[in-house]
Amino acid sequence: MSKSYFDTESNGHKPFELPGAKPHYNPDRPGQVEHIFLDLCLDIPSKSYSGSCTIRLLPIRNGIKRLILDAVNLNIQSVEVDQVPQQFEYDGEKLAIQLSQPTLIGEKLLIVISYSVEKPQRGMYFIQPDKHYPHKPTQVWTQGEDEDSRFWFPCFDYPGQLSTSEIRVSVPKPLMAISNGELINTTEKENRKIYHWLQEQIHPTYLMTLAVGDFAEIREEWQGKSVTYYVEKGREADAKRSLGKTPRMMEFLSEKYGYIYPFPKYAQVCVDDFIFGGMENTSTTLLTDRCLLDERAILDNRNSESLVVHELAHQWFGDLLVIKHWSHAWIKEGMASYSEVMWTEQEYGTQDAAYYRLQEGRSYVSEDSSRYRRPMVTHVYREAIELYDRHIYEKGSCVYHMIRAELGDELFWTAIQTFVQNHAHQTVETVDLLRAIEAATGRNLTFLFDQYVYRGGHPDFKVVYAWDGDSNLAKVTVTQTQASDDHHGSKDLFDLKIPIGFGYKLQNSPEQLSIFTVRVNEREQSFYFPLKEKPDFISFDVGNNYLKTVVLEYPIPELKAQLEFDPDPISRIYAAEALAKKGSLEAVQALSAALKNDPFWGVQVEVAKQLTEIKLDQAFDALVSGLEDENPYVRRSVIESLAQIKTHPSYKAVKEFVQEGDSSYYVEAAACRTIGAICAANLDDKPSEEKVIKLLKSVLEERAGWNEVVRSGAIGGLAQFKTSEAALNLLLEYTKLGISQPLRLAAIRALGKISVGQTPANIERILDNLAEIAKETFFLTQVAVLTALGEMETPKAIAILQSLADQTADGRVRRYAEEEITKVQKNIGPDKTLRQLREELNQLKQQNQELKSRLENLEAKSKSK
């Protein structure tokens, strides 16, 4: 395909490929790995282990004399093939075995590698108490994706090789060891216990796992298969609360995918210090222990449920169907993310699912606009882990939804089930999905994949509506603003069939939509629709199935009617955004009514955000009424929105939530952040600054709790006081070792935010502190340091970022560091003066707002007379 089709360089977006990126392909296969057997003995106090890795290989070609395996920083003691010692070379990354007998097709090789590892830098992680964290549990767990299995055992480490596997491991009592497949044996020897696990279905090396700890074990079952949750002792109730829907989810996904859960058991192990949310190792998912909810957290936290269904969905998409190469990771990550949408629909209804999808779309759009634009399928990168971004998760989910919208429900599930059944226990690429769709439905969806998968971007629509009363014609003009209007713009155009609905609010009956489908394929097109009478509202992309951004330019009456009557919550949200841009008192009144009356909380949440976009004092009165909403999501959004209204009444309204608390942790945390933002904006008010800092300090001292959500909110509030040394001193206290990890990470991140108004001496203190913390190796700590440094406005931040990029073994840390360096360079460049100008402009706007509000009030009064 021609370069220009994929050319994302000239569209004003940063490129995904960083210097040093190159095409990656799977290596040539010497043969089929049939089985891997690890026999290990763990020495936990010294963070080391020793043992052997046995690989049974069936050669594909005659005459291979040399086998090359991936093995990083392992101590290789000996290599035997069929019990004969072999010569080998090892450079710390690749193990090259010189075969004394060249391969023969059909004659299997049994390769036994004896090795040991001290303090592995990745792959296997040893967690144990130390002087700073005496209560940390003793655990060992592994993490293979993307290519980290090579750090804990020698292997052909890429997803194209599928084999059965077996792990026998000796651990000190009373610890237990959990791995893939079934437990076939346990034996005891003095003060140790040996666990022997066998995984009889083939899978890739990156999905082999081991988790060791003194866990509580909670057993359930589904259709005769054991469903087990392993958590730290004492957290059994949290486990049932957070993971308890698993059997129902197994039922749901087995039915949707048309393939019964494919493995002998399903275990979920919650581990400490996990570096991801979860990892879908075959039949044995590892999850962060931060997903365990207490009684209050479950009130407004569905993230754990989404995480559980995401990792479970991978047991089919990822583990049963394995991607052949990392470049096709969207197939599994997109479906796992889309399964979150499907489960939301099943559990909470279609409006919640639509809103979940909108959030996923926005998450991708923000990466596309601020980070880089890329095709979803690309094999050009530095490290495969760079592909694990919002393009493959959130955009992937939206692409699956567009396929569903294109085919309709019945054909969509037929296609998905055909895909799963045809490729079970095999590797797949993107083209296999297209072929399965065509085989099952006769539909060729290459046009959709060409536009959304094989190139970057999405359409940005501007929609203008006008009514011609003389001829009863509705005129809708659609512009694709992502395409420039010169001849180069044509390659950025999308060609889509979009339904446009015209709605009428009829008394005592549901809203009626007359729907017309139009082909949108040029930069600007006008469509004319003959209608019996003038519509009350216009719905662009009925169902909101396409991944897009949209700006509506309709008259106020139509927007108000759409906000009130459009049956689709996403269309109501788009109407709210368009109304807020009108900025009038009439818009405030329409949004206030929606905040009070919309039947769906997601619309209320969005309306609250939009109200603050209108710089009128009346917006405040509307918002405050939302503080009493029974839905915690709505209260939280209202409090976050009040951060934009920096007045004494908003301060008072929020202060009550900080002092008195709320049933929701998240609402309390938002109040702590907001009160900081409101107070810090009134720079001339020193007494209340001291009062608020003291109040936030009391939150830090008294409200330790679930995942430190509330205290992290207080840290966020303190970070707003950019000129306060007292606030900075408090933050620095909480970056010390010994502070609970989620809270410490929040404090580290906050140093970047608070740094921008501090004195040069204090900036030095912040830099010294971050430079010291940057020496720690824990992934999440390093990311927190990068985030903080990226917000700073001093060239000295660049030096620390550079040293982190140079020293880290983690591709993600290196990439973040380089992106943050660019950010800092921007912060200290001409943008800084711009920002100061902007701040002065905002103060002027604030004064203007008061005048404008008074005027609007006077006008409203004169109209009502």
Side-chain angles (χ1 to χ4, degrees):
M1 210 164 279
S2 71
K3 165 128 179 24
S4 71
Y5 196 75
F6 293 101
D7 180 18
T8 51
E9 306 290 316
S10 58
N11 56 15
H13 288 74
K14 290 180 200 145
F16 167 69
E17 293 90 15
L18 289 177
K22 59 180 199 293
H24 286 75
Y25 308 99
N26 279 346
D28 294 339
R29 293 193 323 159
Q32 178 57 46
V33 175
E34 292 189 335
H35 188 67
I36 299 172
F37 175 33
L38 301 179
D39 195 356
L40 306 175
C41 177
L42 301 188
D43 177 354
I44 295 174
S46 71
K47 299 188 175 183
S48 63
Y49 59 97
S50 57
S52 62
C53 168
T54 303
I55 297 174
R56 191 167 75 232
L57 184 79
L58 178 65
I60 296 175
R61 309 188 286 285
N62 288 328
I64 296 173
K65 296 178 183 160
R66 190 176 161 90
L67 293 175
I68 296 179
L69 282 80
D70 299 299
V72 182
N73 297 345
L74 312 179
N75 306 313
I76 308 287
Q77 278 125 13
S78 65
V79 178
E80 290 183 355
V81 172
D82 300 329
Q83 297 178 322
V84 178
Q86 306 287 311
Q87 291 193 323
F88 64 90
E89 294 159 23
Y90 179 55
D91 64 1
E93 289 195 3
K94 299 280 184 196
L95 170 64
I97 303 169
Q98 288 299 133
L99 297 176
S100 51
Q101 296 288 316
T103 57
L104 287 169
I105 292 176
E107 290 201 8
K108 294 177 184 177
L109 307 180
L110 199 64
I111 306 159
V112 181
I113 302 160
S114 298
Y115 73 107
S116 64
V117 183
E118 282 107 48
K119 298 191 170 131
Q121 58 180 137
R122 305 175 50 185
M124 186 181 283
Y125 297 80
F126 289 82
I127 310 296
Q128 43 199 342
D130 59 24
K131 64 174 194 231
H132 300 295
Y133 298 98
H135 303 299
K136 222 181 220 328
T138 297
Q139 295 179 351
V140 180
W141 46 263
T142 63
Q143 171 55 37
E145 190 171 30
D146 57 339
E147 294 173 348
D148 282 2
S149 288
R150 61 186 69 185
F151 286 83
W152 73 280
F153 62 96
C155 53
F156 296 97
D157 194 11
Y158 59 95
Q161 276 280 16
L162 307 184
S163 69
T164 53
S165 70
E166 190 176 354
I167 294 184
R168 186 164 64 203
V169 62
S170 160
V171 298
K173 290 180 187 168
L175 304 184
M176 58 168 76
I178 303 129
S179 183
N180 313 91
E182 294 178 279
L183 185 62
I184 54 173
N185 192 18
T186 57
T187 48
E188 299 194 17
K189 204 173 178 182
E190 290 151 13
N191 59 349
R192 295 183 75 83
K193 192 163 180 181
I194 296 160
Y195 289 82
H196 192 163
W197 292 86
L198 174 65
Q199 164 72 32
E200 293 190 275
Q201 294 88 357
I202 56 174
H203 66 153
T205 52
Y206 81 86
L207 292 173
M208 285 176 65
T209 193
L210 178 61
V212 176
D214 185 12
F215 298 113
E217 181 180 40
I218 298 157
R219 291 183 165 276
E220 297 197 15
E221 71 166 40
W222 174 76
Q223 295 207 1
K225 298 186 180 204
S226 92
V227 177
T228 327
Y229 318 134
Y230 297 91
V231 295
E232 215 181 317
K233 289 177 174 167
R235 302 206 66 182
E236 293 86 341
D238 293 350
K240 287 181 182 154
R241 194 179 288 118
S242 318
L243 312 174
K245 291 184 180 179
T246 304
R248 280 180 44 221
M249 291 171 174
M250 292 168 83
E251 179 78 32
F252 174 71
L253 293 178
S254 294
E255 182 202 334
K256 285 291 182 198
Y257 299 151
Y259 198 105
I260 200 140
Y261 174 78
F263 303 108
K265 65 127 196 292
Y266 189 52
Q268 290 170 93
V269 192
C270 294
V271 296
D272 201 276
D273 274 0
F274 198 53
I275 55 176
F276 294 108
M279 180 62 213
E280 69 272 13
N281 308 301
T282 318
S283 80
T284 307
T285 284
L286 265 52
L287 298 165
T288 168
D289 58 3
R290 291 182 64 177
C291 78
L292 295 171
L293 307 173
D294 70 11
E295 288 141 334
R296 256 179 89 189
I298 201 156
L299 175 72
D300 54 349
N301 181 322
R302 294 184 190 167
N303 302 346
S304 293
E305 205 169 312
S306 295
L307 175 66
V308 170
V309 80
H310 180 105
E311 302 306 338
L312 175 61
H314 273 312
Q315 299 297 319
W316 288 265
F317 279 76
D319 300 10
L320 176 67
L321 277 66
V322 181
I323 51 168
K324 190 169 191 172
H325 185 264
W326 301 118
S327 54
H328 301 284
W330 82 272
I331 291 180
K332 69 185 185 80
E333 295 304 346
M335 180 49 91
S337 302
Y338 190 52
S339 299
E340 298 170 35
V341 175
M342 288 153 36
W343 178 254
T344 302
E345 187 176 338
Q346 162 78 10
E347 206 63 355
Y348 302 102
T350 51
Q351 301 221 17
D352 285 71
Y355 189 52
Y356 200 102
R357 231 179 52 237
L358 175 73
Q359 305 284 51
E360 288 191 325
R362 284 172 172 174
S363 174
Y364 144 72
V365 165
S366 112
E367 178 173 88
D368 173 84
S369 59
S370 64
R371 201 172 174 205
Y372 50 67
R373 167 169 288 184
R374 72 175 184 90
M376 284 167 64
V377 176
T378 175
H379 58 275
V380 182
Y381 47 80
R382 291 196 307 201
E383 290 188 39
I385 200 73
E386 293 181 22
L387 297 170
Y388 284 71
D389 62 3
R390 298 173 185 183
H391 279 69
I392 70 167
Y393 289 82
E394 287 90 338
K395 186 178 185 185
S397 168
C398 295
V399 167
Y400 273 110
H401 183 77
M402 289 189 287
I403 297 170
R404 178 177 167 185
E406 190 63 46
L407 297 174
D409 262 26
E410 193 182 331
L411 289 182
F412 174 69
W413 290 114
T414 306
I416 293 299
Q417 292 170 6
T418 303
F419 184 47
V420 174
Q421 285 153 9
N422 289 357
H423 297 283
H425 303 296
Q426 294 170 21
T427 58
V428 292
E429 299 173 278
T430 301
V431 68
D432 296 314
L433 175 59
L434 266 174
R435 286 176 182 151
I437 292 169
E438 190 159 357
T441 68
R443 293 286 310 278
N444 177 2
L445 295 194
T446 311
F447 75 93
L448 192 68
F449 281 55
D450 271 351
Q451 296 183 77
Y452 278 101
V453 177
Y454 294 124
R455 71 166 183 188
H458 54 269
D460 298 314
F461 291 119
K462 183 176 87 174
V463 187
V464 180
Y465 157 81
W467 173 252
D468 176 353
D470 297 337
S471 34
N472 274 10
L473 276 181
K475 176 187 180 187
V476 176
T477 302
V478 181
T479 311
Q480 296 196 42
T481 58
Q482 81 281 356
S484 57
D485 47 10
D486 55 25
H487 63 284
H488 294 300
S490 59
K491 69 179 171 51
D492 295 323
L493 287 172
F494 281 71
D495 184 344
L496 303 169
K497 294 192 176 73
I498 293 187
I500 297 179
F502 297 95
Y504 298 91
K505 40 185 196 212
L506 300 173
Q507 293 308 313
N508 308 325
S509 76
E511 296 69 37
Q512 301 289 313
L513 285 181
S514 309
I515 298 172
F516 302 83
T517 300
V518 297
R519 181 179 176 190
V520 177
N521 63 340
E522 293 168 28
R523 187 169 187 278
E524 186 176 297
Q525 287 159 283
S526 290
F527 304 97
Y528 296 88
F529 306 93
L531 298 171
K532 287 199 182 77
E533 58 185 321
K534 184 182 182 193
D536 292 311
F537 63 91
I538 302 86
S539 212
F540 177 77
D541 184 20
V542 176
N544 284 296
N545 293 315
Y546 284 109
L547 174 59
K548 63 184 182 297
T549 68
V550 66
V551 172
L552 304 180
E553 297 195 355
Y554 304 166
I556 283 188
E558 278 75 2
L559 289 172
K560 280 166 65 177
Q562 183 170 5
L563 176 58
E564 193 174 345
F565 297 107
D566 196 310
D568 186 327
I570 309 309
S571 295
R572 302 205 291 280
I573 289 167
Y574 287 143
E577 288 171 0
L579 269 170
K581 287 202 176 71
K582 301 282 185 192
S584 62
L585 192 56
E586 194 177 354
V588 171
Q589 286 159 346
L591 292 168
S592 312
L595 179 58
K596 227 190 242 88
N597 307 326
D598 198 281
F600 175 53
W601 63 267
V603 175
Q604 294 174 283
V605 161
E606 297 293 324
V607 162
K609 290 183 202 168
Q610 294 306 324
L611 269 166
T612 61
E613 295 296 308
I614 304 178
K615 302 297 179 217
L616 289 177
D617 292 349
Q618 290 81 352
F620 170 75
D621 304 330
L623 274 169
V624 169
S625 64
L627 290 174
E628 281 157 33
D629 200 280
E630 62 194 33
N631 188 305
Y633 294 109
V634 178
R635 294 198 300 280
R636 178 177 167 190
S637 179
V638 166
I639 286 174
E640 285 170 349
S641 301
L642 285 170
Q644 306 301 315
I645 300 178
K646 300 173 170 62
T647 59
H648 194 66
S650 67
Y651 166 74
K652 260 176 63 182
V654 173
K655 187 177 172 191
E656 201 173 312
F657 282 84
V658 180
Q659 285 174 327
E660 305 302 318
D662 186 89
S663 54
S664 152
Y665 290 123
Y666 291 104
V667 171
E668 249 176 76
C672 290
R673 284 192 300 273
T674 293
I675 199 167
I678 294 171
C679 183
N682 301 313
L683 297 176
D684 47 352
D685 188 359
K686 279 290 170 212
S688 70
E689 177 178 305
E690 282 164 23
K691 250 196 324 215
V692 170
I693 290 175
K694 200 170 152 198
L695 179 59
L696 293 173
K697 185 179 179 204
S698 73
V699 172
L700 286 170
E701 287 163 356
E702 293 158 20
R703 296 206 210 159
W706 179 77
N707 277 354
E708 297 292 14
V709 168
V710 176
R711 293 208 289 173
S712 297
I715 290 285
L718 287 167
Q720 303 285 343
F721 293 100
K722 299 184 175 109
T723 55
S724 161
E725 186 164 18
L728 171 63
N729 291 340
L730 262 174
L731 291 184
L732 287 168
E733 271 310 295
Y734 283 89
T735 63
K736 290 180 176 165
L737 281 163
I739 297 291
S740 77
Q741 197 204 69
L743 183 60
R744 181 173 184 240
L745 294 174
I748 294 168
R749 286 192 295 268
L751 289 180
K753 200 174 219 81
I754 202 168
S755 71
V756 296
Q758 295 289 331
T759 63
N762 278 339
I763 288 173
E764 287 300 321
R765 288 170 65 205
I766 292 171
L767 287 165
D768 291 345
N769 186 283
L770 291 171
E772 198 50 41
I773 299 171
K775 293 175 189 162
E776 295 174 32
T777 52
F778 182 49
F779 171 70
L780 295 178
T781 309
Q782 291 192 333
V783 170
V785 169
L786 295 178
T787 306
L789 288 165
E791 292 201 36
M792 295 187 73
E793 297 180 348
T794 162
K796 290 181 178 170
I798 295 175
I800 308 174
L801 285 165
Q802 195 57 61
S803 71
L804 248 173
D806 296 342
Q807 286 159 25
T808 180
D810 192 298
R812 287 159 307 172
V813 172
R814 189 160 40 252
R815 177 165 197 128
Y816 290 152
E818 290 171 15
E819 289 178 352
E820 298 302 319
I821 287 172
T822 317
K823 229 190 244 175
V824 177
Q825 286 166 336
K826 228 172 141 183
N827 290 346
I828 54 187
D831 289 26
K832 195 169 177 182
T833 19
L834 255 178
R835 191 161 53 250
Q836 283 164 347
L837 282 171
R838 220 174 269 139
E839 278 166 16
E840 286 164 27
L841 192 68
N842 281 339
Q843 286 171 346
L844 280 172
K845 276 188 186 159
Q846 184 84 34
Q847 293 158 4
N848 253 342
Q849 174 178 332
E850 291 155 21
L851 290 170
K852 198 173 158 199
S853 306
R854 279 185 223 150
L855 266 175
E856 286 274 359
N857 263 339
L858 285 170
E859 275 179 22
K861 278 180 189 158
S862 64
K863 274 183 192 159
S864 59
K865 278 179 183 164

